[in-house]
mmCIF file of all heavy atoms in Angstrom:
data_model
loop_
_atom_site.group_PDB
_atom_site.id
_atom_site.type_symbol
_atom_site.label_atom_id
_atom_site.label_comp_id
_atom_site.label_asym_id
_atom_site.label_seq_id
_atom_site.Cartn_x
_atom_site.Cartn_y
_atom_site.Cartn_z
ATOM 1 N N THR A 52 10.290 -26.628 -12.704
ATOM 2 C CA THR A 52 11.399 -25.745 -13.019
ATOM 3 C C THR A 52 11.373 -24.568 -12.042
ATOM 4 O O THR A 52 10.355 -23.902 -11.907
ATOM 5 C CB THR A 52 11.279 -25.243 -14.460
ATOM 6 O OG1 THR A 52 11.231 -26.381 -15.304
ATOM 7 C CG2 THR A 52 12.461 -24.380 -14.849
ATOM 8 N N VAL A 53 12.471 -24.373 -11.347
ATOM 9 C CA VAL A 53 12.531 -23.292 -10.354
ATOM 10 C C VAL A 53 13.837 -22.516 -10.517
ATOM 11 O O VAL A 53 14.803 -23.012 -11.088
ATOM 12 C CB VAL A 53 12.482 -23.838 -8.910
ATOM 13 C CG1 VAL A 53 11.124 -24.445 -8.603
ATOM 14 C CG2 VAL A 53 13.592 -24.863 -8.668
ATOM 15 N N GLN A 54 13.817 -21.297 -9.997
ATOM 16 C CA GLN A 54 15.037 -20.508 -10.005
ATOM 17 C C GLN A 54 15.525 -20.337 -8.568
ATOM 18 O O GLN A 54 14.755 -20.008 -7.674
ATOM 19 C CB GLN A 54 14.769 -19.142 -10.636
ATOM 20 C CG GLN A 54 16.014 -18.278 -10.705
ATOM 21 C CD GLN A 54 15.796 -17.039 -11.554
ATOM 22 O OE1 GLN A 54 16.399 -16.875 -12.595
ATOM 23 N NE2 GLN A 54 14.910 -16.173 -11.105
ATOM 24 N N VAL A 55 16.802 -20.585 -8.354
ATOM 25 C CA VAL A 55 17.389 -20.391 -7.019
ATOM 26 C C VAL A 55 18.692 -19.618 -7.187
ATOM 27 O O VAL A 55 19.214 -19.496 -8.296
ATOM 28 C CB VAL A 55 17.679 -21.739 -6.314
ATOM 29 C CG1 VAL A 55 16.406 -22.520 -6.049
ATOM 30 C CG2 VAL A 55 18.658 -22.581 -7.133
ATOM 31 N N GLU A 56 19.195 -19.094 -6.060
ATOM 32 C CA GLU A 56 20.456 -18.348 -6.137
ATOM 33 C C GLU A 56 21.274 -18.656 -4.900
ATOM 34 O O GLU A 56 20.729 -18.831 -3.802
ATOM 35 C CB GLU A 56 20.141 -16.850 -6.201
ATOM 36 C CG GLU A 56 21.372 -15.980 -6.341
ATOM 37 C CD GLU A 56 20.999 -14.496 -6.408
ATOM 38 O OE1 GLU A 56 20.117 -14.125 -7.210
ATOM 39 O OE2 GLU A 56 21.589 -13.720 -5.638
ATOM 40 N N GLY A 57 22.583 -18.750 -5.061
ATOM 41 C CA GLY A 57 23.420 -19.014 -3.899
ATOM 42 C C GLY A 57 24.881 -18.760 -4.221
ATOM 43 O O GLY A 57 25.222 -18.340 -5.336
ATOM 44 N N VAL A 58 25.686 -19.035 -3.232
ATOM 45 C CA VAL A 58 27.124 -18.834 -3.394
ATOM 46 C C VAL A 58 27.784 -20.197 -3.567
ATOM 47 O O VAL A 58 27.409 -21.172 -2.904
ATOM 48 C CB VAL A 58 27.700 -18.095 -2.163
ATOM 49 C CG1 VAL A 58 29.220 -17.998 -2.264
ATOM 50 C CG2 VAL A 58 27.073 -16.715 -2.043
ATOM 51 N N ILE A 59 28.747 -20.256 -4.467
ATOM 52 C CA ILE A 59 29.424 -21.523 -4.727
ATOM 53 C C ILE A 59 30.413 -21.785 -3.582
ATOM 54 O O ILE A 59 31.274 -20.950 -3.291
ATOM 55 C CB ILE A 59 30.178 -21.484 -6.070
ATOM 56 C CG1 ILE A 59 29.161 -21.208 -7.197
ATOM 57 C CG2 ILE A 59 30.932 -22.794 -6.321
ATOM 58 C CD1 ILE A 59 29.755 -21.016 -8.565
ATOM 59 N N ILE A 60 30.232 -22.925 -2.918
ATOM 60 C CA ILE A 60 31.105 -23.210 -1.780
ATOM 61 C C ILE A 60 32.052 -24.356 -2.069
ATOM 62 O O ILE A 60 32.938 -24.671 -1.278
ATOM 63 C CB ILE A 60 30.288 -23.542 -0.509
ATOM 64 C CG1 ILE A 60 29.283 -24.679 -0.807
ATOM 65 C CG2 ILE A 60 29.564 -22.318 0.018
ATOM 66 C CD1 ILE A 60 28.680 -25.278 0.447
ATOM 67 N N HIS A 61 31.877 -25.005 -3.202
ATOM 68 C CA HIS A 61 32.725 -26.147 -3.501
ATOM 69 C C HIS A 61 32.708 -26.349 -5.009
ATOM 70 O O HIS A 61 31.682 -26.156 -5.661
ATOM 71 C CB HIS A 61 32.153 -27.387 -2.790
ATOM 72 C CG HIS A 61 32.958 -28.625 -3.023
ATOM 73 N ND1 HIS A 61 34.097 -28.914 -2.315
ATOM 74 C CD2 HIS A 61 32.787 -29.649 -3.891
ATOM 75 C CE1 HIS A 61 34.585 -30.070 -2.738
ATOM 76 N NE2 HIS A 61 33.815 -30.529 -3.700
ATOM 77 N N ASN A 62 33.866 -26.728 -5.556
ATOM 78 C CA ASN A 62 33.954 -26.880 -7.007
ATOM 79 C C ASN A 62 34.958 -27.987 -7.274
ATOM 80 O O ASN A 62 36.098 -27.918 -6.818
ATOM 81 C CB ASN A 62 34.407 -25.520 -7.584
ATOM 82 C CG ASN A 62 34.878 -25.627 -9.028
ATOM 83 O OD1 ASN A 62 35.519 -26.591 -9.422
ATOM 84 N ND2 ASN A 62 34.568 -24.609 -9.805
ATOM 85 N N GLU A 63 34.529 -29.022 -8.010
ATOM 86 C CA GLU A 63 35.403 -30.192 -8.150
ATOM 87 C C GLU A 63 35.059 -30.978 -9.422
ATOM 88 O O GLU A 63 33.887 -31.098 -9.788
ATOM 89 C CB GLU A 63 35.152 -31.093 -6.928
ATOM 90 C CG GLU A 63 35.870 -32.421 -6.973
ATOM 91 C CD GLU A 63 35.431 -33.322 -5.809
ATOM 92 O OE1 GLU A 63 34.348 -33.075 -5.226
ATOM 93 O OE2 GLU A 63 36.155 -34.260 -5.497
ATOM 94 N N VAL A 64 36.083 -31.465 -10.087
ATOM 95 C CA VAL A 64 35.841 -32.378 -11.198
ATOM 96 C C VAL A 64 36.050 -33.791 -10.678
ATOM 97 O O VAL A 64 37.128 -34.102 -10.183
ATOM 98 C CB VAL A 64 36.805 -32.102 -12.372
ATOM 99 C CG1 VAL A 64 36.610 -33.150 -13.470
ATOM 100 C CG2 VAL A 64 36.581 -30.704 -12.912
#
Side-chain angles (χ1 to χ4, degrees):
T52 303
V53 292
Q54 181 170 245
V55 296
E56 182 180 310
V58 175
I59 300 175
I60 54 167
H61 180 81
N62 165 322
E63 174 187 20
V64 175

